[in-house]
Amino acid sequence: MKTIIAACSQNLSGSRASIQAALRTLLAAPWPSQRDVRSWLQLLSVLQWVLSFLLLGAVSLLLLVYLVFTSFWPISALYLAWIIFDWDTPEKGGRMLPCLRRWSVWRHFRDYFPVKLVKTHDLSPSHNYIIGSHPHGILCVGAFCNFITGSTGFGEMFPGIRPFLTTLAGNFRLPVFREYLMSGGLCPVTRRAIGYLLSKNGTGNAVAIVIGGAAESLSCRPGVTTLILKNRKGFVRMALQHGAYLVPSFSFGENDLFRQVVFEEGTWMRSIQQRFQKMMGFAPCFFYGRGLTSVQSWGFLPFARPITTVVGEPVTVPKIEDPSCETVDMYHEMYVRSLLKLFNENKTKYGLSETDELRIL
């Protein structure tokens, strides 16, 4: 019996010593600094945003289809009934939740790059506006951060102005994802949705449109600034029909967030991309960014490159219910001149050289 007690005492003493040694090792290890914690939070905020835009809609759809074949099928049935009942809401201003635009996660998202908003002229709340957002890039980071989140101070810079951002109408057919988009102030890039915001929602509305769209993303690469704009005149016609002023904006650094395999015009791969874009509304881009574990690894997260979005001078537009083609062309030319002026006056301030030019196709 004494032998057993002695053995147990020896084991307890050894265990106690091991625990104490482990605690000393843990306390001696360097704790993460505040800078490290901020970097992790910034990385996680970008990760959740990328996953939301790339996977939330598809995963939600697959989950609801799966539930149909389980005992939880009433969930899918009820949500389908809700979508049918709520089908037109995206076309009628959506369902913005201001509290979501003020999430602290968006401040970490902003600081990851970082993203900055620059104001050059005032916008009066007594008018409505169409803001042309350039360039498209791969994921429109600058447009999302500035016009959807409140992290860059749009509301403080432009008091009385409510910003909205348009995106593909097909995104609002995906379950759950549609609610996510509407909560932030996104709406379909359709005549009906934009017309509602410009005519039936009072004044002080600023509808941001990424005019180059999916076609422009195919030419996105660092060091090259190409815009698809020459034949994009529908936004000018809508501005004239509703008397909305045209405001150019340019996000310097947007094209530096990813590396893309760009297929030249005339190649069979470029032809496949363009046909897919016409059928589906978006272009299949072959791009990569940084990985989750380190900057040197490959992945789908954007590189941390500064983005500066400069909002230019409004182009005054009269209200003409049925503008002629000549009138549309005239105001389109005025908008292009204003955009070129904005680009040339600011390019050397935000990472470009004096010799860099803006190509408009």
Side-chain angles (χ1 to χ4, degrees):
M1 180 64 71
K2 291 182 179 180
T3 304
I4 295 174
I5 293 173
C8 290
S9 300
Q10 187 175 0
N11 288 337
L12 288 173
S13 299
S15 299
R16 191 180 299 112
S18 298
I19 293 173
Q20 291 175 347
L23 287 174
R24 283 195 296 268
T25 303
L26 182 62
L27 293 174
W31 286 82
S33 64
Q34 290 185 351
R35 182 178 180 181
D36 292 333
V37 173
R38 283 197 301 269
S39 297
W40 294 341
L41 289 174
Q42 291 167 10
L43 190 63
L44 290 174
S45 68
V46 174
L47 175 64
Q48 66 82 25
W49 179 77
V50 172
L51 291 178
S52 296
F53 270 84
L54 296 181
L55 298 178
L56 180 59
V59 171
S60 300
L61 179 60
L62 292 174
L63 178 60
L64 288 174
V65 171
Y66 168 75
L67 292 178
V68 170
F69 302 98
T70 70
S71 58
F72 296 100
W73 64 266
I75 296 177
S76 297
L78 288 173
Y79 190 78
L80 177 60
W82 163 251
I83 286 185
I84 294 173
F85 173 78
D86 196 53
W87 189 260
D88 287 337
T89 299
E91 303 277 355
K92 296 180 179 180
R95 194 167 35 248
M96 185 191 300
L97 297 178
C99 60
L100 296 186
R101 297 167 70 108
R102 296 192 296 267
W103 270 359
S104 59
V105 68
W106 300 130
R107 294 197 298 271
H108 299 302
F109 180 87
R110 172 201 64 195
D111 294 337
Y112 170 84
F113 299 96
V115 182
K116 180 183 178 183
L117 180 65
V118 176
K119 168 185 172 180
T120 61
H121 292 79
D122 291 328
L123 299 182
S124 171
S126 60
H127 299 289
N128 286 324
Y129 303 89
I130 291 181
I131 301 178
S133 179
H134 310 274
H136 183 284
I138 296 294
L139 293 179
C140 303
V141 173
F144 176 86
C145 191
N146 287 297
F147 303 128
I148 292 302
T149 79
S151 60
T152 57
F154 184 95
E156 291 74 23
M157 291 186 189
F158 302 101
I161 303 297
R162 295 181 297 274
F164 299 85
L165 179 63
T166 58
T167 185
L168 292 174
N171 290 330
F172 295 88
R173 306 296 179 249
L174 294 173
V176 181
F177 190 46
R178 69 191 295 275
E179 323 299 340
Y180 176 77
L181 294 177
M182 285 193 291
S183 67
L186 283 100
C187 62
V189 61
T190 61
R191 288 184 175 275
R192 183 184 176 192
I194 297 172
Y196 181 91
L197 293 172
L198 296 178
S199 63
K200 299 181 180 179
N201 201 40
T203 59
N205 301 291
V207 182
I209 304 175
V210 186
I211 296 169
E216 193 172 277
S217 66
L218 296 177
S219 302
C220 168
R221 51 182 153 176
V224 178
T225 309
T226 302
L227 303 184
I228 306 297
L229 179 59
K230 188 175 294 184
N231 295 318
R232 299 290 175 98
K233 300 178 181 180
F235 72 103
V236 178
R237 182 175 295 277
M238 288 208 69
L240 286 163
Q241 289 172 342
H242 298 283
Y245 291 7
L246 291 168
V247 183
S249 72
F250 195 93
S251 293
F252 294 91
E254 182 74 45
N255 284 349
D256 298 329
L257 303 183
F258 293 95
R259 301 291 182 267
Q260 181 181 186
V261 179
V262 178
F263 301 99
E264 299 300 331
E265 290 289 345
T267 61
W268 64 274
M269 278 300 297
R270 184 63 169 232
S271 177
I272 291 175
Q273 286 178 312
Q274 291 172 339
R275 289 178 183 177
F276 189 93
Q277 183 260 320
K278 289 180 180 179
M279 289 189 297
M280 302 300 294
F282 64 93
C285 301
F286 299 92
F287 66 90
Y288 68 91
R290 60 156 292 178
L292 184 61
T293 55
S294 70
V295 179
Q296 286 73 30
S297 61
W298 286 19
F300 55 87
L301 295 179
F303 294 108
R305 302 286 188 270
I307 302 174
T308 303
T309 301
V310 184
V311 179
E313 181 179 4
V315 176
T316 303
V317 175
K319 184 175 182 179
I320 305 175
E321 292 187 4
D322 188 20
S324 64
C325 293
E326 292 77 13
T327 302
V328 172
D329 289 341
M330 181 181 71
Y331 280 95
H332 183 271
E333 185 179 347
M334 292 170 62
Y335 175 83
V336 172
R337 286 202 303 268
S338 182
L339 176 62
L340 287 170
K341 178 183 177 183
L342 174 71
F343 177 82
N344 291 324
E345 288 180 350
N346 292 277
K347 61 183 179 181
T348 57
K349 300 177 184 177
Y350 305 115
L352 300 181
S353 66
E354 189 64 44
T355 57
D356 284 325
E357 295 183 357
L358 189 62
R359 296 177 56 201
I360 297 180
L361 301 180

